[in-house]
Amino acid sequence: MPPSSSQTATAPVVVRMEGVNKHYGSHHVLRDIELDIHLGEVIAIIGPSGSGKSTLCRTINRLEPISSGRILLDGVELPSEGRQLARLRAEVGMVFQSFNLFSHMTVLQNVMLGPVKVLSVAEQDAEATARRLLDRVGVGDQGQKLPAQLSGGQQQRAAIARALAMRPKVMLFDEPTSALDPEMVTEVLEVMKELADSQMTMVVVTHEMAFARSAADRVIFMDGGRIVEQAPPEQFFAAPESDRARDFLSKVLH
């Protein structure tokens, strides 16, 4: 079972965002973001397209540089560049919409690559871990294939295994099911639900309201680059406080 909201609120803060702003030219994409993400907490970020959800997710590991503010990982501020950023970024797993597996490598090689090259894990140990993780996400029999030989759902599960192989402190998911056919969405969400149940710290940008309702400890609703409201899922979905969230839910909940 995931920890309760009260449990996670007293857990250590893994990621802290303080006064984070992000501009693309004159476009103000993130506005004064204040957010603490606690150890073992699963956060679902929802909201309309263009509200800043993916940008917020991608700033956490500095894939998107910020214009002002601070982001801390385990109390250490993320620098904007350099070796220290690379070291800290290795502690933040990322799963993208489009899988981003290396097409010329087998699935097994994809999962082994980071631990060998970044963490200096011995190849034999990295292979054993990769096989275990591929089994865990349900594609253990696909390790010798190239990514193009897998379905989209299998590729995304392999991408999750690749991120887990780095032993991250927090896992970021940027709309991980949006590029999948409907029948493949369920198999990826089941893997993510299992991760949530294992108390992995997770930030999930998603359109899947059922996942947000069942797996998240906290739902964050964004609009116009701001965090408009945040609450436990049972509270948010039953009685959203803002007109904007009520309007959004009336359109997406069937």
Side-chain angles (χ1 to χ4, degrees), residues 82-244:
R83 286 186 177 175
Q84 189 189 9
L85 174 61
R87 279 198 299 273
L88 289 169
R89 189 181 275 163
E91 299 179 343
V92 182
M94 183 95 192
V95 179
F96 302 88
Q97 298 178 33
S98 53
F99 324 136
N100 287 13
L101 296 168
F102 291 111
S103 60
H104 64 289
M105 293 181 167
T106 67
V107 169
L108 184 66
Q109 289 168 336
N110 265 279
V111 180
M112 291 172 59
L113 183 65
V116 171
K117 296 293 187 185
V118 180
L119 303 181
S120 301
V121 174
E123 286 208 15
Q124 185 177 356
D125 294 336
E127 180 177 343
T129 299
R131 290 187 184 281
R132 176 177 58 78
L133 289 170
L134 289 170
D135 281 340
R136 181 178 177 183
V137 300
V139 290
D141 56 345
Q142 307 294 320
Q144 299 309 317
K145 293 183 180 178
L146 294 172
Q149 296 173 285
L150 272 60
S151 71
Q154 290 171 325
Q155 287 187 63
Q156 193 59 295
R157 286 185 280 159
I160 293 171
R162 179 184 60 181
L164 289 172
M166 296 295 289
R167 304 192 293 271
K169 292 179 177 176
V170 57
M171 284 277 283
L172 310 177
F173 294 84
D174 185 11
E175 300 194 16
T177 59
S178 63
L180 300 177
D181 294 333
E183 66 268 23
M184 296 176 188
V185 169
T186 302
E187 63 189 47
V188 173
L189 290 178
E190 283 175 355
V191 171
M192 292 170 60
K193 184 74 165 65
E194 186 268 324
L195 282 180
D197 288 345
S198 72
Q199 301 192 12
M200 168 66 73
T201 309
M202 295 166 59
V203 178
V204 185
V205 176
T206 185
H207 293 292
E208 302 292 337
M209 296 301 126
F211 175 84
R213 194 191 287 255
S214 65
D217 299 297
R218 184 166 29 137
V219 174
I220 289 177
F221 175 73
M222 291 188 68
D223 188 42
R226 298 184 188 278
I227 294 176
V228 176
E229 65 178 285
Q230 50 187 311
E234 60 275 10
Q235 180 181 327
F236 177 80
F237 286 105
E241 292 179 356
S242 65
D243 291 341
R244 190 66 191 89

